[in-house]
Amino acid sequence: MELVFDGHNDVLLRLWRNRATGGDPVAEFAGGASDGHIDGPRAKVGGLAGGLCAIYIPSTEEFALKEPDENGHYATPLSAPLKREPSLDIALQMASIALHLDRSGAWRLCRSTADIRAAIDANVFAAVMHMEGCEAIDADLTALDVFYAAGLRSLGPVWSRNNIFGHGVPFAYPMSPDSGPGLTDAGFELIRTCNSMGILVDLAHITEKGFWDVAKTSDQPLIASHSNAHALTPVARNLTDRQLDAIKESRGLVGLNYAVTMLRDDARDNAATPLTDMIRHIDYLVDRMGIDCVALGSDFDGATIPADISDAGGNQKLVAALKGAGYADDDLAKICRENWLRVLASAWHE
């Protein structure tokens, strides 16, 4: 079994939502859940050894992709910006869940690559606290210190909506990621502060202008934790060849997003998406950037994924498909975990 360290999941969001209706996050993760994609038992079956676990504040309105028109095209409007105070409350609740899981032994909250490797060796899920969209962080960045102390080691300045730090891309097809402005003045300061603190910066949801703003400001490898190739599936969330070239030059990485809307030719939200669509994106990314710059970023618990994988327990089906496509054992180790551990070590000043 090829163990996987995954670049993005939304299990904390699912656990938080279930707790609001009486669920016990520790029991649900440790003992197994009847919904979603990730829990401890399914992670072990699928060789999911750990990953970046997102604190994500849901939009106040119900989010859904806009229905495609007669040509299969759609353009979902950006979600409205969120207020900071309720966002901070939710972020703290999700951080609390992450800490409770750590204290219970259901997973291990990792702050270094040594922590990750030790957790994997101990057969304990290696969780890294990530923030997807920084609505909970103030412009003065005082809350960032507190979240860092709690274990935050990775963040994306924006989700697909705008905030005080920058602008996000919409969920739209076909559309360029060059869809709006980039970082704000507060966003530039956030990037510089993350660099000095050793917090990884994730570019998965930011506009192309924001991508280049980060590229000219950050001293880290450029990372898009859960994105795919725009040349194959031209949704705004995917990355252009020019962006991929910049990621390669920085020795960063792209984590393959399992979301079917970012894999399919038609970008439809259809779980009947073959594993060959995942392989063609991996092949394209490897051909463009090299094997050292490609990893996995499933978006488990945050998107519709191919039915053949179904949940974390099906991860080895992708590994088997990659092996069948000619990827050697050393290549699989890099794609599945070692590339992530390399860029995390760089961003964390190890």
Side-chain angles (χ1 to χ4, degrees):
M1 180 180 292
E2 193 68 59
L3 296 180
V4 171
F5 184 86
D6 181 47
H8 186 83
N9 69 71
D10 286 291
V11 67
L12 286 172
L13 173 65
R14 193 192 83 226
L15 295 173
W16 173 80
R17 281 176 164 157
N18 289 351
R19 190 176 70 172
T21 56
D24 179 343
V26 172
E28 183 177 337
F29 189 86
S34 60
D35 65 344
H37 294 146
I38 297 180
D39 53 43
R42 285 182 287 179
K44 284 184 169 60
V45 168
L48 182 61
L52 274 67
C53 301
I55 292 171
Y56 161 73
I57 314 304
S59 294
T60 50
E61 72 272 19
E62 185 70 24
F63 175 79
L65 288 175
K66 190 172 181 179
E67 286 296 316
D69 64 19
E70 64 275 8
N71 298 311
H73 299 173
Y74 57 86
T76 306
L78 286 175
S79 295
L82 299 180
K83 294 182 179 179
R84 178 173 174 257
E85 290 77 8
S87 298
L88 178 59
D89 287 345
I90 293 170
L92 289 171
Q93 291 162 14
M94 291 189 190
S96 174
I97 291 172
L99 291 165
H100 277 285
L101 289 168
D102 180 67
R103 286 197 294 269
S104 73
W107 73 18
R108 190 171 299 176
L109 196 56
C110 299
R111 295 167 170 83
S112 68
T113 56
D115 287 349
I116 294 171
R117 292 192 187 278
I120 291 173
D121 288 345
N123 199 27
V124 178
F125 188 91
V128 173
M129 191 188 295
H130 169 76
M131 187 171 284
E132 185 179 30
C134 289
E135 285 84 2
I137 305 297
D138 55 295
D140 292 334
L141 305 181
T142 53
L144 186 63
D145 285 321
V146 178
F147 281 105
Y148 182 86
L152 184 74
R153 291 296 182 272
S154 173
L155 62 78
V158 298
W159 182 66
S160 288
R161 62 186 166 224
N162 304 331
N163 62 26
I164 63 170
F165 300 109
H167 297 80
V169 293
F171 294 90
Y173 166 81
M175 182 180 278
S176 164
D178 188 14
S179 60
L183 293 177
T184 65
D185 289 345
F188 281 106
E189 185 57 32
L190 174 66
I191 302 308
R192 289 189 287 265
T193 300
C194 286
N195 285 179
S196 65
M197 292 178 69
I199 299 173
L200 180 137
V201 176
D202 178 18
L203 300 167
H205 281 268
I206 204 164
T207 61
E208 187 171 2
K209 287 186 174 66
F211 178 99
W212 297 116
D213 285 343
V214 173
K216 71 184 181 185
T217 306
S218 181
D219 60 14
Q220 297 178 8
L222 299 176
I223 305 298
S225 68
H226 56 304
S227 297
N228 298 332
H230 192 271
L232 299 182
T233 306
V235 294
R237 274 278 285 108
N238 280 341
L239 299 163
T240 66
D241 286 350
R242 186 166 170 248
Q243 289 174 296
L244 298 178
D245 292 344
I247 291 169
K248 175 184 178 180
E249 185 176 351
S250 75
R251 296 199 72 239
L253 66 72
V254 176
L256 178 80
N257 194 325
Y258 298 10
V260 296
T261 55
M262 297 172 65
L263 291 168
R264 298 172 58 90
D265 285 334
D266 60 10
R268 287 184 179 268
D269 194 20
N270 182 356
T273 297
L275 297 185
T276 51
D277 280 353
M278 305 179 82
I279 302 303
R280 72 190 183 103
H281 276 271
I282 290 277
D283 285 346
Y284 189 93
L285 296 172
V286 169
D287 288 346
R288 190 83 193 188
M289 300 188 297
I291 195 70
D292 292 333
C293 297
V294 182
L296 303 178
S298 68
D299 214 355
F300 280 143
D301 283 321
T304 303
I305 66 171
D308 286 344
I309 291 181
S310 180
D311 57 30
N315 241 350
Q316 293 303 306
K317 294 180 181 178
L318 175 58
V319 175
L322 287 166
K323 187 172 292 189
Y327 287 89
D329 289 347
D330 287 349
D331 295 336
L332 291 173
K334 288 182 176 183
I335 291 172
C336 289
R337 63 183 178 280
E338 294 302 325
N339 288 340
W340 264 117
L341 292 171
R342 173 182 61 80
V343 297
L344 291 172
S346 177
W348 294 347
H349 305 155
E350 295 180 359

